[in-house]
Amino acid sequence: MELKSNEEKITRALLVSVDSGEYDAEASLEELFELVKSAGTEPVLSVTQNLQRPESASYVGSGKLKDIADVCGELEIDLLVFDGELSPTQIKNIEAATDVRTIDRTTLILDIFASRARSKEGKLQVELAQLKYMLPRLSGKGIELSRLGGGIGTRGPGETKLETDRRHIRRRTETLKEELASLEQHRSMLRKRREKDGVITCAIVGYTNAGKSTLMNYLTNAGVLAQDKLFATLDPTSRALKLPSGVTVMMIDTVGLVRRLPHHLVEAFRSTLEEAAQSDIILNVCDASSDETRTHLQVTADLLESLGCGDTPIITVFNKCDLLDDGTLAQDFGNSVRISAKTGEGIDELLQAIDDNLPVRVKRVSLLIPFAAAALVSEIRSKGTLISEEYVADGIRVEAVVDEMLYARVKEYES
């Protein structure tokens, strides 16, 4: 790997992993590389040690820690990022041995979320997750953050909040919970209004960097940030999409997932993720070109199951298929489509799949309704989708999308 000069002032990070056989350490470490790059830091090198379990004092063994210290000196490393959750004692011992600032995977992910949050709710959720993670790590007057300076692991609540006593942090935590509860109540009201108005919702979920925002932009011109970075989109976005049948659905983009997502974040963002749980249809988008496709799909499936989405139609969307030659992967999944949100390949098939999974069967009709039955137009407007209406000599010419029940009432006027 070509190293960048210090003149560019880019933080240089060494990544450290312990392979205990509990999970795929190599795949997790590769993901950590992407997380570090997403945070604007340069991952220079990684070190892995095979242990039955992480050492309680320093996560890695004393000999390996000395090796890490030597590498940090030789490569002028500014930051150590451990692919696990470190205790305050472990961080203290590692920094004492290496003289290099040290953070763990959870701190890194929390920091990325803090840098990407844009909405009020997103910022509140991130701060709540950070405070919950920091609280048990505070001792005495609190951890000394003034020595940390800039860089990843220092965004969010800030020094003044975290250097106060536990009581103040608990008060702040309760305030955040109250504000989030108020915002959730508002979102719940909007959700009920959508249900009352008969709005059909379709949530886009999936692993981070699978191309969800690119797909959202292609379908709806939503203008959602779409970058080749993990967690490029944090705040949920909703946009209307008209299907080939004429039915309009509300598309909802959600935050991306990663394996071993910190439970603080799962809890803090549960209300946002529940937008997916409340949806009529779910698109589980994955990067078909990734070697970890099946794992990514399983991570998402597990979360959807925990949110109670068992009865919701789920369409598996294999994205980035322009990078593949064959379709063997998609053949293993029943309700699935292959697309490229970048080129538009397979989008027609995706729209048809959404149509096929609508919660009620609908039909697009052309009607000539006599003036004596004009009340039907109002009923179509409230219970169906009125595409167009035109007053002609014989009555009202209507283009509409109606469900089976409404169709039974208007089919005699088909033209």
Side-chain angles (χ1 to χ4, degrees):
M1 179 180 294
E2 182 180 350
L3 303 182
K4 298 182 181 181
S5 69
N6 289 333
E7 294 179 358
E8 294 178 71
K9 296 182 180 179
I10 295 178
T11 301
R12 295 159 58 81
L14 174 65
L15 282 52
V16 183
S17 170
V18 166
D19 187 355
S20 62
E22 183 180 352
Y23 51 85
D24 188 336
E26 182 179 352
S28 183
L29 191 58
E30 289 178 1
E31 188 171 271
L32 189 66
F33 260 89
E34 295 302 318
L35 288 168
V36 169
K37 288 194 290 186
S38 290
T41 296
E42 179 185 11
V44 176
L45 190 68
S46 66
V47 175
T48 301
Q49 184 176 29
N50 296 320
L51 294 172
Q52 287 188 341
R53 66 182 62 86
E55 294 288 343
S56 58
S58 55
Y59 200 77
V60 295
S62 57
K64 179 63 70 173
L65 186 59
K66 185 179 183 305
D67 293 342
I68 291 172
D70 292 340
V71 171
C72 287
E74 293 173 5
L75 299 181
E76 299 181 349
I77 298 298
D78 307 301
L79 179 70
L80 287 172
V81 184
F82 279 69
D83 194 24
E85 195 164 293
L86 299 177
S87 69
T89 300
Q90 288 171 331
I91 293 176
K92 180 180 178 182
N93 293 338
I94 294 168
E95 291 186 340
T98 62
D99 196 31
V100 175
R101 182 162 64 91
T102 301
I103 65 172
D104 59 16
R105 180 187 180 93
T106 299
T107 300
L108 173 64
I109 293 176
L110 287 170
D111 181 84
I112 294 173
F113 270 67
S115 68
R116 304 282 161 79
R118 292 293 178 267
S119 70
K120 179 181 179 181
E121 183 174 18
K123 292 176 181 178
L124 291 176
Q125 287 174 325
V126 169
E127 184 178 352
L128 178 59
Q130 287 178 312
L131 290 178
K132 283 186 174 182
Y133 185 65
M134 294 292 187
L135 183 58
R137 288 164 166 73
L138 297 177
S139 60
K141 294 183 180 179
I143 45 180
E144 298 176 359
L145 294 181
S146 57
R147 62 185 170 82
L148 296 184
I152 62 175
T154 62
R155 297 186 185 94
E159 296 178 22
T160 57
K161 290 188 180 68
L162 296 181
E163 288 178 349
T164 55
D165 59 19
R166 293 173 181 268
R167 187 180 307 169
H168 177 84
I169 293 177
R170 289 195 178 100
R171 280 201 303 265
R172 177 61 181 162
T173 298
E174 290 305 312
T175 299
L176 290 171
K177 288 181 178 178
E178 291 173 3
E179 292 187 51
L180 285 169
S182 176
L183 290 171
E184 166 57 22
Q185 185 177 15
H186 176 67
R187 186 169 56 239
S188 179
M189 291 174 59
L190 293 178
R191 193 158 51 227
K192 289 178 180 178
R193 173 60 65 85
R194 289 201 301 260
E195 292 173 358
K196 182 180 178 181
D197 293 342
V199 176
I200 299 172
T201 54
C202 180
I204 304 176
V205 303
Y207 219 71
T208 186
N209 211 33
K212 298 186 302 300
S213 296
T214 303
L215 175 59
M216 181 79 159
N217 288 339
Y218 191 97
L219 293 175
T220 68
N221 296 317
V224 180
L225 176 65
Q227 294 183 351
D228 187 19
K229 289 183 178 180
L230 301 189
F231 302 122
T233 303
L234 181 58
D235 298 311
T237 302
S238 300
R239 291 292 185 274
L241 169 68
K242 180 170 286 190
L243 298 173
S245 65
V247 175
T248 297
V249 297
M250 186 67 69
M251 303 296 296
I252 302 173
D253 191 13
T254 60
V255 63
L257 308 174
V258 294
R259 58 166 61 82
R260 298 163 58 216
L261 187 68
H263 70 273
H264 300 281
L265 275 178
V266 174
E267 182 180 351
F269 284 86
R270 191 174 184 86
S271 58
T272 302
L273 293 171
E274 282 177 350
E275 285 289 313
Q278 300 289 339
S279 295
D280 298 295
I281 301 171
I282 295 174
L283 304 184
N284 182 0
V285 181
C286 67
D287 178 356
S289 68
S290 170
D291 294 335
E292 296 291 309
T293 299
R294 293 183 184 277
T295 301
H296 295 175
L297 286 172
Q298 191 59 50
V299 169
T300 309
D302 290 344
L303 178 63
L304 292 175
E305 184 177 351
S306 72
L307 292 172
C309 300
D311 296 331
T312 305
I314 299 177
I315 304 171
T316 302
V317 182
F318 292 96
N319 190 26
K320 305 186 183 181
C321 283
D322 52 310
L323 304 178
L324 296 179
D325 295 326
D326 61 69
T328 54
L329 185 63
Q331 294 172 3
D332 296 338
F333 294 80
N335 197 14
S336 65
V337 293
R338 288 165 47 90
I339 71 162
S340 169
K342 182 178 180 180
T343 67
E345 175 188 349
I347 293 297
D348 289 342
E349 289 80 0
L350 172 60
L351 295 176
Q352 187 59 54
I354 297 174
D355 252 332
D356 293 341
N357 285 271
L358 290 173
V360 291
R361 303 311 303 165
V362 295
K363 181 179 179 65
R364 182 162 180 161
V365 292
S366 297
L367 307 171
L368 180 57
I369 300 175
F371 292 115
L376 282 175
V377 178
S378 296
E379 191 171 351
I380 292 172
R381 187 179 288 109
S382 62
K383 297 180 180 179
T385 302
L386 184 62
I387 299 173
S388 67
E389 61 177 313
E390 179 186 4
Y391 285 79
V392 296
D394 298 330
I396 308 169
R397 192 171 299 283
V398 169
E399 289 282 332
V401 177
V402 297
D403 60 25
E404 292 175 344
M405 187 175 298
L406 190 53
Y407 177 66
R409 291 175 50 77
V410 302
K411 64 180 180 180
E412 63 180 293
Y413 302 118
E414 273 194 279
S415 60

